[in-house]
Amino acid sequence: MIQRYLFARQNAEDGGWGLHVEGESTVFGTAMNYVVLRILGVSEEDQRLVKARGTLHRMGGAINGPHWAKFWLSVLGVMEWDAVNPIPPELWLLPDWMPIAPWRWWIHMRQVFLPMSFIYSRRFAHPVSPLTRQLREELYTQSFSSVDFSSHRNSISPRDNYHPKSLFLSSINWVLVNVWNPFLRTESLIWRAEDWTFDLIQREDDNTDYANLGPVNAPMNLLACYIHDGPDSYSVRRHRERLFDFLWMKNEGMLMNGTNGVQTWDTAFLIQAVVEAGLAQDSEWKNMLQKALEFLDDQQIRKECKELDVCYRQRRKGAWAFSTRDQGYTVSDCTSEAMKSVILLQTTPGFPKLVSDERIEDAIDTLLTMQNSSGGFASYEPIRGSEYLEQLNAAEVFGRIMVEYDYPECTTAVVTALSLFSQHYPQYRKEDIAKTTEAALRYIRTSQRDDGSWYGSWGICFTYAGMFALESLASVGETYRNSSRVRRACEFFLSKQKEDGGWGESYKSCETGVYTQHESSQVVQTCWALIGLMHAKYPERRPLSRGVELVMGRQMATGEYAQEAIEGVFNKSCMITYPNYKFIFPVKALGMFAREYGNEKQ
């Protein structure tokens, strides 16, 4: 089934694969998916692989892959470790006060480079086999034995080089390769570094019951345990069991999610959509909403990580994760949206109070620890390091990945959550909430661009962020009537409306930072724009009616919507699909419109 999915997503024109399903072919995507298909038994003579191999060779072969591709190809034994720029575990021995200490990095970089550095230090490689011998000759434009791998540490295809290595990082790599590794890296230091990094790996496994942060660090943690504990150890067996959490079967075949799911995130949004549509007390949907509330009740994180400070984790008691309680990572907007959904249902007649006031207050207490000095909110934890750490970005295919940043979407989610909470719990930490909200609003206002837009980092792109920003401003009484910034935001949205009445924004906006029209209107983005305009109380009905007509016209006879262009993004260059958005946001947009204007076509 993995074969089926990869072939379904093979680029028809050149036979390669990209970083995401809508991206152009890259060495990273083509080399890795080619190897996977060969491991799964597809012959090198299969015409689909012949075509892919031709594209890979035209891009210079696997030796032009980015850092992460070279790492995995070396692990698989089809590239030499000499081609991989250093990932020294000694970094984890740096004192916490140092500006480059890893605890200051963004959580995903921390948890990926942690096992990566352990594996790099051990130079683990799959034993040579008939298949790896074949792959060694298939992946390169010259014979494997003639490749000078050490001279290709910095070789990379232009298609993969979204964030070129800085001169500073290249200089550090040169020192590590030519001075540190051969002359200064003692056995005792190696032992200390590997011992501490593996201890931190174990803490990550223990705090998540081996679910881990995501499907990038999880296989690396598994491999580290395989190396350290042995192939028959409990840690390896449990890791293998949890890897199935990431797999998802659909009509195209089997694929891997970007996390172990989006359960909490999607559930919270669906609850809000039904409530906004005025359907929460409809008997037809009450049982569904009851189960959704029970799910959020069950998935709230009720206890802290063990030795929170030792493993550099953010407070999490009372929070909700992006996916499940087991994954266990606080996320500011996930906590906010889940808490809002709980309050909305528990204050609706007929729904039970499953989440106590004390637990809701725990969520508030956690959110109030996450604000940055700017007033904005990041994703998993407050900003810990300087943006200058991007000079150490070794991933090459991603941007803005080394540290946390302020995000309009996260900040707006917190504002709307605090606003709703204060309506129902007006005395709890009243002054702290007022101070936090005012600082967050200042950030939202100042992060608005001159054209009225906000740049979004987790959805595409200006449309997504604009919806959230207008909702948050409306929650504190700023609307089209009384706010010039809201009027500018509405005018921005209207300037992007297409002739057919819809909105459609390309993922290229995320990469370039400039609004880029998609070739066609998109249902989900049309709903985002409509929701933003309606929260802003935009006074003219006609633009809204045109958007609603497009959304209604795209609905299938079954009530469903077809999957259109990709909706999500992370780190500027990697796009992700949210399949439930095409159901959730039409419910919300159409429901809001019907409540405001009635259910009759005009």
Side-chain angles (χ1 to χ4, degrees), residues 104-153:
R104 300 180 184 276
W105 302 355
W106 186 45
I107 186 63
H108 279 278
M109 286 300 285
R110 263 196 339 263
Q111 297 294 22
V112 167
F113 273 79
L114 177 65
M116 188 181 274
S117 66
F118 179 86
I119 297 163
Y120 168 84
S121 187
R122 292 293 182 93
R123 297 294 201 278
F124 175 87
H126 185 278
V128 176
S129 67
L131 177 59
T132 60
R133 287 193 186 96
Q134 287 181 293
L135 284 168
R136 286 177 171 190
E137 300 307 320
E138 295 168 24
L139 294 172
Y140 305 97
T141 58
Q142 61 191 94
S143 66
F144 183 85
S145 60
S146 69
V147 178
D148 179 5
F149 285 97
S150 63
S151 69
H152 287 287
R153 286 186 298 104

Side-chain angles (χ1 to χ4, degrees), residues 42 175 527:
V42 181
V175 171
C527 291

